[in-house]
Amino acid sequence: MAGHASRWTRFFFLGDARPTMSRHPASGAAVATSRPRPVRAPVALVVLTALTGLVASGCLPSDGSGTPSSAAGPLPTTGWVAADRDQLADGGTLRLAVDALPPTYQLGSVDSRDSDDALVADLFLPAFVTLTADGGWTPDPDYAADVRLLSTDPQVVEVQINPAAVWSDGTPVTVADFAANWQALNGSDPDYAVTSTAVWQDVESVTAGTDERDVLIRFAQPNADWPVALMSLYPAWAVDTPERFAEAWRTGPFAADGTTYVSGGPFVVTSIDSRAGIVALGRNPAWWGQTPKLDTVVFTAVTRTSQGQAFANREIDVVNLNSDADTYRTAQARSDASVLRSQGAVARQITLNAQAPALSDVRVRRAFALSLDREVLAQAVLSGVDSPVLVQDSLLFAPGQPGYVDHMSPLLDGGVGTARQLLTAAGYDTTGDQATRDGQALTVRFVIPADVPASSAVAQLVAQQAARAGITVTIDAVPYEKFFEHLENRDFDLTYLGQVGQAFPVASSEPLFYPADSPMNLSGITDAALGDLWRTANAELDPDTRTDLANQIDRRLVALVTVIPLFSEPDAWGVTSTLRNYGPAQFQSVRWQDVGFAR
């Protein structure tokens, strides 16, 4: 994926199973499990990182329950080459690759798939707040004359819309758009098939203040991650009914007439060729801000394994190395390009389907985790692109971020020896090389997308490492387009994914783990205590108290052993040497009207 999305990064999926309560056979803890029937679970990447308003470096001391974090690495949080607008040429076409065209242009829909979808939408969706290089946020003056917290009891947020802001068909951006987005995304109407209700579920009302450009968002209960709700906005006509939410933007971002492409950003879609896999965007003639430096941005669907060659052939201007050594060599060989790096927002992980019979016992899941050498796995992926290795030991924070505490490595003390003891306690015979129970070998199926070298390398090493504990791992490499179906149907035992970071992790990470039947919870189980913890954390406006609550959540998540964090993956991109204000970045939003080529 040659690009990053500065808005929500998502995992989306729907489940129709309802939770039932049971007692876990090993720990005795109350665990919510969804009934064993097919669900539409999530799809691709996830969300995590620093708390609202906090910088992306440094750490907090341990609270006695884990090991304090180490300092962040030497890479910058933003790695692109910056330039003032007067240093950029007027015009030009930026050519970017995506793995596939968006299956829908409605990012809130369960059919939206991965960060490529958000990348494309980034050019035409309004965002009233923008992320800074340190993971903080600030109002975007192109959209908001002001954004402020009017009161905390009750919590009321005011958004003063820029009076010049209009959809490209001439319709003003007003409180009606905000109200329609709230109604669609707050979870009150089950006919809206949404990926997440984060933040909006806590909103009581969206009303006009002094006029239709003055938006008052009143919360029924406090929510500290409220800026997340202001990072994208859809026109009211595209979301005001469940039918339009699902279908109006399925094949493109359309105006109310259903035929004209519409935009609330600096660029507007000019053409979509689904057969050729190309989306082209040009300058939005109704854009009220500074004129974009680029004339055109073109996204082309290129398979992951072909993107390096496309970059070498100068068919695209940017390539995400995706920790692939071949792509790295290709990028280095191109004379008019360079490799740019930044700290990464992606934490690589192995997700376990706890509804799979072989992994339903937490002792077996922990035994599998104990068999892994995460340092070796990280080196296998990162050494080929000369990226530093940093093992990750938290599910809510990245290494070096405020609040990061090592909760994972204490769970892994004992290695393979402890793994075999756990399997014995779970009823397996571990006297031989292979753990067996009732004559059946302990075997788990690792589903990965085909033709993704990093995934293949990790899966093969995992199979070798797990064998030391007597666990057989079979690798099932499925076509990329089928991979998502496997996730949606929870048709896997293990899979290899990435958690994509953003600046508001507490509310946005909740649906990844809670409840058990959350559209985004691939494991299918949860810890019943997480509901109250997340409600308290979401409502806590004091950052220190909230960090403590987040670490209580993190300890419980790690103890479930449904997600094994592996390592933080730095961003490394091959970029055309003259490109400015676009490239790898951990947090910072792209200001698309300032992206261009040097004079």
Side-chain angles (χ1 to χ4, degrees), residues 255-496:
D257 61 15
T259 58
T260 306
Y261 294 125
V262 75
S263 171
F267 289 87
V268 62
V269 171
T270 55
S271 64
I272 299 176
D273 187 338
S274 298
R275 186 181 298 273
I278 298 173
V279 177
L281 298 98
R283 291 172 175 170
N284 176 5
W287 175 244
W288 56 94
Q290 290 179 303
T291 301
K293 285 295 183 177
L294 294 169
D295 288 322
T296 309
V297 180
V298 177
F299 295 93
T300 302
V302 182
T303 62
R304 185 74 60 89
T305 53
S306 300
Q307 288 181 13
Q309 192 59 51
F311 185 71
N313 295 342
R314 305 189 183 191
E315 297 165 0
I316 56 177
D317 299 305
V318 177
V319 63
N320 188 332
L321 302 184
N322 288 304
S323 298
D324 178 60
D326 289 338
T327 305
Y328 183 39
R329 285 191 290 270
T330 300
Q332 288 181 306
R334 183 168 160 176
S335 60
D336 67 337
S338 57
V339 175
L340 303 180
R341 302 177 188 271
S342 74
Q343 292 185 41
V346 174
R348 292 296 173 183
Q349 64 174 45
I350 294 176
T351 295
L352 290 74
N353 175 7
Q355 290 191 355
L359 296 172
S360 61
D361 190 325
V362 68
R363 294 169 295 189
V364 177
R365 298 197 299 274
R366 187 180 169 205
F368 170 76
L370 282 159
S371 75
L372 302 181
D373 187 329
R374 296 180 297 153
E375 185 87 18
V376 169
L377 295 176
Q379 289 173 349
V381 173
L382 300 177
S383 62
V385 294
D386 293 336
S387 288
V389 169
L390 195 57
V391 171
Q392 180 136 341
D393 286 302
S394 167
L395 288 169
L396 289 189
F397 299 99
Q401 292 179 337
Y404 178 87
V405 173
D406 176 358
H407 292 127
M408 191 69 199
S409 63
L411 190 77
L412 303 183
D413 283 347
V416 172
T418 301
R420 285 186 170 269
Q421 292 173 11
L422 285 168
L423 292 178
T424 299
Y428 285 90
D429 180 356
T430 60
T431 56
D433 292 335
Q434 172 68 60
T436 61
R437 185 169 62 185
D438 300 327
Q440 297 295 315
L442 175 54
T443 302
V444 291
R445 178 166 151 262
F446 199 156
V447 175
I448 60 171
D451 300 322
V452 180
S455 295
S456 178
V458 166
Q460 291 177 44
L461 279 172
V462 165
Q464 295 171 18
Q465 293 175 357
R468 299 177 305 176
I471 302 171
T472 296
V473 175
T474 62
I475 300 171
D476 187 1
V478 301
Y480 179 83
E481 63 275 10
K482 296 293 184 182
F483 177 67
F484 298 102
E485 295 180 13
H486 282 267
L487 299 185
E488 290 169 355
N489 294 314
R490 202 174 282 128
D491 182 14
F492 67 94
D493 294 339
L494 311 170
T495 193
Y496 175 62

Side-chain angles (χ1 to χ4, degrees), residues 176 179-181 183-184 189 192 235-245 248:
N181 279 252
Q183 292 286 1
D189 186 344
Y192 282 96
W237 67 77
V239 297
D240 59 353
T241 69
E243 294 75 22
R244 279 194 280 269
F245 180 86

Side-chain angles (χ1 to χ4, degrees), residues 151-216:
S151 65
T152 58
D153 188 18
Q155 183 177 346
V156 179
V157 172
E158 181 182 33
V159 180
Q160 295 179 3
I161 302 172
N162 184 333
V166 296
W167 300 102
S168 57
D169 66 349
T171 306
V173 178
T174 71
V175 65
D177 298 311
F178 280 85
N181 279 252
W182 164 58
Q183 292 286 1
L185 296 171
N186 65 20
S188 62
D189 186 344
D191 288 336
Y192 282 96
V194 303
T195 59
S196 174
T197 61
V199 179
W200 286 119
Q201 66 189 12
D202 292 332
V203 173
E204 178 180 277
S205 64
V206 176
T207 59
T210 57
D211 57 37
E212 66 176 5
R213 300 279 194 164
D214 186 26
V215 182
L216 300 179

Side-chain angles (χ1 to χ4, degrees), residues 142-156:
D142 284 328
Y143 298 102
D146 194 17
V147 174
R148 56 179 174 156
L149 186 64
L150 281 184
S151 65
T152 58
D153 188 18
Q155 183 177 346
V156 179

Side-chain angles (χ1 to χ4, degrees), residues 518-570:
S518 164
M520 301 159 77
N521 184 348
L522 282 173
S523 74
I525 69 165
T526 194
D527 180 332
L530 288 171
D532 287 340
L533 273 173
W534 246 303
R535 278 188 290 274
T536 304
N538 287 336
E540 180 55 62
L541 300 181
D542 177 74
D544 292 334
T545 304
R546 196 155 185 256
T547 296
D548 179 67
L549 289 165
N551 274 297
Q552 292 181 47
I553 292 170
D554 196 51
R555 283 195 297 274
R556 287 185 174 272
L557 294 179
V558 166
L560 285 171
V561 204
T562 56
V563 173
I564 303 170
L566 299 178
F567 56 90
S568 177
E569 183 175 15

